Amino acid sequence: MKTEVSKFTEFRKYYLSEFEWFDGEDYITFNLVGIDLVKNKAQVTMTDRGRLSAITCDLLTDKDGEIYFEYGAMFTRIYLDDFEEAA
């Protein structure tokens, strides 16, 4: 019987990781709270100009196989590989 490694362990490294993105005026901080591979959704908390909010984003894959979600009016791609462990 072939054992298969769960994809959850692959994404465990992203749990509570952080990414800062500059939107032209200020930095927005994203923290990954959860990833649902069945629904292809990511739960993200976001700090934007002093406001904290929780959003659920669709996970997408580009032509190179990199996983990302889109944010903002310009649908900026935020790649999961850009997230780093929060210090």
Side-chain angles (χ1 to χ4, degrees):
M1 179 175 174
K2 183 179 177 184
T3 39
E4 204 171 296
V5 176
S6 170
K7 287 188 177 182
F8 175 76
T9 57
E10 179 181 329
F11 289 102
R12 192 177 179 116
K13 67 179 179 179
Y14 297 118
Y15 183 67
L16 292 181
S17 57
E18 179 176 282
F19 175 70
E20 284 190 341
W21 175 66
F22 187 71
D23 70 353
E25 293 180 12
D26 206 355
Y27 283 96
I28 298 173
T29 304
F30 297 94
N31 292 88
L32 282 174
V33 178
I35 295 175
D36 186 347
L37 295 176
V38 175
K39 296 180 182 178
N40 281 337
K41 303 273 185 188
Q43 297 165 337
V44 180
T45 57
M46 185 177 67
T47 306
D48 183 4
R49 293 168 182 83
R51 286 185 287 176
L52 182 68
S53 56
I55 58 174
T56 301
C57 306
D58 292 325
L59 290 176
L60 306 167
T61 306
D62 67 5
K63 63 182 178 181
D64 297 324
E66 300 290 326
I67 300 172
Y68 67 95
F69 61 89
E70 295 176 329
Y71 174 75
M74 300 300 291
F75 300 106
T76 304
R77 291 182 178 186
I78 308 292
Y79 286 92
L80 295 187
D81 285 337
D82 292 339
F83 281 75
E84 297 177 351
E85 185 177 337

